[in-house]
């Protein structure tokens, strides 16, 4: 089996003992342990698996580049001058096979997939011994490989499947049904061996509920062309999570606690998190998320620039639709508490109000993302580069919305809509849904999808699901063309009255709904051909 793709370039081999020596993980490197010993020993296997988690966590810092190009988030004007970022935001020429941001996503996910593969092979060989700890780690490695393959398939379509028990797959790109079948097999292993969330003491580690949620998403988000979309199967897996008493039937009782860094050890917070990436304020385990999504104007405030907790560099901002009210053509309904918890409108800090004098664009004080502000940096006296609030991957309310969608499309329309009203929307309005805010249980399919996508934006904005939601519903080109500043027609007027012509509305080519396979991968993988194995149109 040839496994040359991308890995030798990075110096990443399939050494069985490779793991992280991060202080955050508090494990010792195991790179000198012979391969045949690693996975029969609890301690070395544990170190190896924690290394996989660390690579997964590192690949989800900042939350910027992979989530551009939607109607929810855009890059700030100053950052938009970056050719590669502009390509992702506009589906333009910068979205190409040499784009370093695309390459970094491919590389990170295949590091996880490649390192998981030998662990899964060896732990399957030991599976019959019935060692519960080793089998649990088999579940963890299986889950991490599955999630990484799932994400890559959303971005790139067909991809290579690395499975040491199936050498016939080689390093070739596999059809989506083969990819999704492999993901399903891994997730079923994870569901079988991962513990219930009530038994998880280390929040870095995954539970059975995460495997079940991902199985649901596997069948709900599968492209129609894969033949794997199945609302009934998805519904069954989501229901397992909904029915788990650990989450208390509604998740967190109030929305504000979800993004309160001081509340991450509280039961109410934990009921919401199916899984969250764990970070800490301060080097070396910060996420730096706020550094990327905060305001550049605030970063220049004197003398408090080092601790303004909403400063940053405008790498990703809320779109006009995402920060606007319904009355002004946006998404937010009057009285929805999520609005001010998710988006920052006021940038005053310690009595100082920033201004835009001398700025190249003028959008630095437009509404910005608030969810990742980490007030703990104030006490540390550090910049937002040291922000370290945990970042949600899958939340309970996400599962509720997915489950309600499956109910709707399997003939249980009233039940699905009632679930959204009584769990997600009721919490959004403080526990009581105001008169006139309750969705009608008789709404038709088009109306339901419109409402659902707006509700998912309100609940989950900037958490990484928007592009996948628009792709699976076929709404990406329509919504992005109408709502993304960098794609739709019109001039941009900055605070100093300077008019910048953004040109006519750009046409998003359908082929750019998938990213190109990185050129470096095509040239390094002997099982791929540079011309034949690239996605069409690139």
């Amino acid at each position: 089996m040839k496994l040359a793709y991308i890995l030798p370039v990075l110096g990443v081999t399939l050494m069985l003992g490779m793991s992280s020596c991060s202080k955050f993980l508090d494990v010792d490197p195991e790179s000198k342990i012979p391969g045949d010993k690693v996975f029969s020993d609890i301690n070395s296997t544990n170190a190896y698996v924690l290394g996989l988690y660390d690579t997964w966590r590192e690949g989800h810092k900042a939350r910027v580049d992979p989530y551009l190009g939607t109607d929810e988030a855009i890059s700030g004007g100053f950052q938009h001058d970056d050719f590669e970022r502009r390509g992702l935001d506009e589906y333009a020429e910068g979205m190409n096979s040499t784009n370093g941001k695309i390459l970094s996503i491919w590389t990170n996910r295949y590091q996880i997939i490649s390192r998981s593969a030998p662990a899964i092979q060896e732990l399957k060989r030991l599976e019959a011994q019935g060692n519960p700890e080793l089998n649990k780690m088999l579940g963890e490695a299986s889950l991490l490989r599955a999630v990484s393959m799932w994400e890559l398939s959303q971005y790139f379509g067909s991809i290579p499947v690395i499975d040491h028990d199936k050498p016939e797959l080689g390093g070739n790109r596999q059809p989506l049904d083969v990819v999704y079948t492999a993901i399903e097999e891994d997730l079923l292993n994870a569901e079988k061996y991962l513990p219930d969330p009530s038994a998880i003491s280390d929040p870095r580690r995954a539970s059975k509920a995460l495997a079940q949620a991902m199985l649901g998403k596997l069948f709900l988000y599968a492209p129609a062309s894969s033949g794997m979309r199945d609302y009934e199967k998805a519904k069954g897996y989501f229901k397992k999570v909904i029915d788990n008493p650990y989450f208390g039937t509604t998740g967190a009782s109030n929305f504000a606690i979800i993004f309160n860094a001081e509340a991450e050890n509280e039961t109410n917070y934990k009921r919401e998190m199916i899984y969250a990436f764990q970070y800490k304020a301060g080097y070396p385990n910060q996420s730096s998320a706020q550094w990327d999504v905060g305001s550049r104007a605030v970063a220049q405030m004197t003398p408090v620039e080092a601790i303004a907790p909403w400063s940053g560099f405008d790498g990703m901002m809320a779109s006009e639709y995402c920060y606007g009210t319904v009355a002004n053509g946006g998404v937010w309904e009057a009285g929805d508490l999520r609005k001010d918890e998710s988006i920052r409108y006021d940038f005053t800090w310690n009595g100082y109000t920033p201004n835009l004098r001398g700025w190249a664009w003028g959008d630095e004080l437009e509404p910005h993302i608030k969810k990742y502000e980490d007030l703990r940096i104030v006490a540390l006296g550090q910049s937002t580069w040291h922000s370290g609030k945990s970042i949600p991957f899958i939340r309970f309310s996400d599962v509720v919305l997915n489950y309600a969608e499956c109910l709707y499309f399997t003939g249980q329309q009233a039940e699905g809509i009632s679930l959204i009203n009584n769990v997600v929307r009721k919490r959004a309005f403080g526990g009581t849904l105001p008169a006139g805010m309750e969705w009608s249980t008789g709404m038709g399919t088009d109306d339901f999808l419109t409402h659902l996508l707006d509700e998912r934006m309100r609940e989950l904005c900037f958490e990484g699901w928007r592009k996948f939601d628009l792709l699976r519903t076929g709404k990406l080109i329509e919504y992005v063309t109408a709502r993304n500043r960098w794609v739709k027609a019109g001039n941009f007027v900055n605070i100093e009255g300077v008019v910048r012509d953004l040109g006519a509305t750009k046409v998003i080519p359908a082929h750019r709904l998938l990213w190109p396979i990185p050129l470096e991968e095509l040239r390094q993988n002997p099982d791929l051909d540079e011309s034949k194995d690239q996605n069409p149109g690139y």
Side-chain angles (χ1 to χ4, degrees), residues 441-482:
T441 56
M443 69 172 67
T445 300
D446 290 343
D447 202 18
F448 174 74
L449 275 178
T450 299
H451 278 72
L452 178 71
L453 286 171
D454 278 349
E455 191 66 18
R456 286 186 63 79
M457 180 184 287
R458 289 186 285 259
E459 180 68 24
L460 302 166
C461 54
F462 323 121
E463 295 180 42
W465 292 105
R466 189 62 179 179
K467 184 170 184 178
F468 302 152
D469 285 336
L470 295 181
L471 285 172
R472 69 185 174 83
T473 56
K475 293 290 188 180
L476 189 143
I477 291 177
E478 175 189 349
Y479 281 11
V480 172
T481 300

Side-chain angles (χ1 to χ4, degrees), residues 29-41:
E30 301 291 340
S31 58
K32 295 184 179 180
I33 297 177
D36 60 348
K37 300 293 185 183
V38 173
F39 301 114
S40 59
D41 176 78

Side-chain angles (χ1 to χ4, degrees), residues 25-275:
L25 293 174
D26 194 27
V27 296
D28 296 322
E30 301 291 340
S31 58
K32 295 184 179 180
I33 297 177
D36 60 348
K37 300 293 185 183
V38 173
F39 301 114
S40 59
D41 176 78
I42 294 294
N43 292 328
S44 59
T45 304
N46 185 57
Y48 191 96
V49 171
L50 284 175
L52 297 176
Y53 276 112
D54 194 34
T55 303
W56 191 36
R57 180 182 73 114
E58 289 299 300
H60 286 80
K61 281 186 172 183
R63 311 293 273 188
V64 177
D65 299 321
Y67 309 121
L68 296 174
T70 71
D71 61 338
E72 174 181 279
I74 58 173
S75 59
F78 192 90
Q79 296 286 5
H80 193 69
D81 284 340
D82 179 283
F83 180 70
E84 292 183 346
R85 182 169 290 176
R86 185 165 66 250
L88 296 179
D89 222 0
E90 296 182 3
Y91 297 84
E93 61 273 13
M95 183 185 285
N96 58 42
S97 63
T98 61
N99 186 300
K101 301 180 189 304
I102 291 175
L103 175 63
S104 69
I105 299 298
W106 179 278
T107 299
N108 173 264
R109 305 315 186 259
Y110 266 112
Q111 284 178 332
I112 298 166
I113 293 166
S114 298
R115 295 175 188 176
S116 297
I120 293 168
Q121 182 186 44
E122 288 298 314
L123 290 171
K124 278 184 176 179
R125 186 177 60 81
L126 300 170
E127 187 176 7
Q129 294 181 5
N131 185 310
E133 285 300 308
L134 287 177
N135 284 345
K136 184 194 75 165
M137 286 182 265
L138 168 60
E140 290 179 302
S142 297
L143 180 131
L144 292 171
R145 180 169 70 175
V147 171
S148 299
M149 284 199 296
W150 181 85
E151 189 174 0
L152 288 175
S153 73
Q154 292 288 309
Y155 288 129
F156 298 97
S158 63
I159 57 171
V161 174
I162 303 178
D163 188 332
H164 289 190
D165 289 321
K166 298 177 182 178
E168 68 276 8
L169 296 177
N172 300 295
R173 295 180 70 186
Q174 298 299 323
L176 282 178
D177 60 331
V178 174
V179 174
Y180 277 75
T181 297
I183 295 171
E184 181 185 14
E185 290 174 0
D186 275 348
L187 290 175
L188 288 173
N189 245 347
E191 183 190 26
K192 180 179 179 181
Y193 288 125
L194 290 180
D196 187 81
S198 62
I200 297 287
S201 58
D202 183 346
R204 294 171 297 178
R205 311 195 83 131
S207 74
K208 188 183 303 291
L210 178 57
Q212 292 163 341
M214 280 306 305
L215 278 161
K217 285 184 178 288
L218 176 69
F219 290 108
L220 177 59
Y221 284 72
S225 61
S226 70
M228 296 288 285
R229 184 172 296 183
D230 190 321
Y231 289 110
E232 282 290 352
K233 282 187 176 180
K235 180 173 70 174
Y237 288 115
F238 289 135
K239 190 174 189 303
K240 290 181 179 182
V241 180
I242 299 289
D243 289 345
N244 191 320
Y246 177 84
F247 302 107
T249 71
T250 60
S253 61
N254 63 83
F255 187 81
I257 200 172
I258 300 169
F259 294 94
N260 180 350
E262 302 296 336
E264 292 182 5
N265 291 321
E266 295 182 17
T267 299
N268 196 15
Y269 171 91
K270 293 177 180 178
R271 283 180 171 175
E272 183 69 22
M273 294 299 164
I274 309 298
Y275 188 81

Side-chain angles (χ1 to χ4, degrees), residues 335-483:
D336 191 329
L337 302 178
R338 296 171 296 189
K339 173 174 170 281
D340 289 327
E341 294 293 337
S342 302
I343 299 174
R344 173 157 297 283
Y345 297 86
D346 179 10
F347 297 89
T348 302
W349 173 249
N350 280 352
Y352 182 96
T353 301
N355 60 66
L356 298 182
R357 287 190 296 271
W359 287 99
W361 274 92
D363 57 4
E364 287 81 5
L365 291 179
E366 288 185 8
H368 276 60
I369 297 166
K370 184 179 180 181
K371 282 184 172 180
Y372 302 118
E373 292 175 4
D374 189 348
L375 299 182
R376 295 172 299 181
I377 65 168
V378 177
L380 294 174
Q382 295 178 329
S383 72
T384 55
W385 186 76
H386 293 88
S387 62
K389 187 182 290 185
S390 293
I391 295 179
F393 177 53
I394 298 181
R395 295 200 279 114
F396 185 78
S397 56
D398 181 9
V399 173
V400 170
L401 289 168
N402 282 160
Y403 178 55
E405 181 180 352
C406 293
L407 288 171
Y408 187 93
F409 286 108
T410 55
Q412 297 173 274
Q413 289 88 346
E415 186 178 345
I417 292 171
S418 295
L419 184 65
I420 295 174
N421 282 330
N422 293 324
V423 176
V424 181
R425 288 182 60 74
K426 184 180 288 186
R427 182 176 71 180
F429 288 90
T432 302
L433 200 54
M437 289 296 183
E438 192 170 271
W439 292 3
S440 167
T441 56
M443 69 172 67
T445 300
D446 290 343
D447 202 18
F448 174 74
L449 275 178
T450 299
H451 278 72
L452 178 71
L453 286 171
D454 278 349
E455 191 66 18
R456 286 186 63 79
M457 180 184 287
R458 289 186 285 259
E459 180 68 24
L460 302 166
C461 54
F462 323 121
E463 295 180 42
W465 292 105
R466 189 62 179 179
K467 184 170 184 178
F468 302 152
D469 285 336
L470 295 181
L471 285 172
R472 69 185 174 83
T473 56
K475 293 290 188 180
L476 189 143
I477 291 177
E478 175 189 349
Y479 281 11
V480 172
T481 300
R483 298 169 178 171

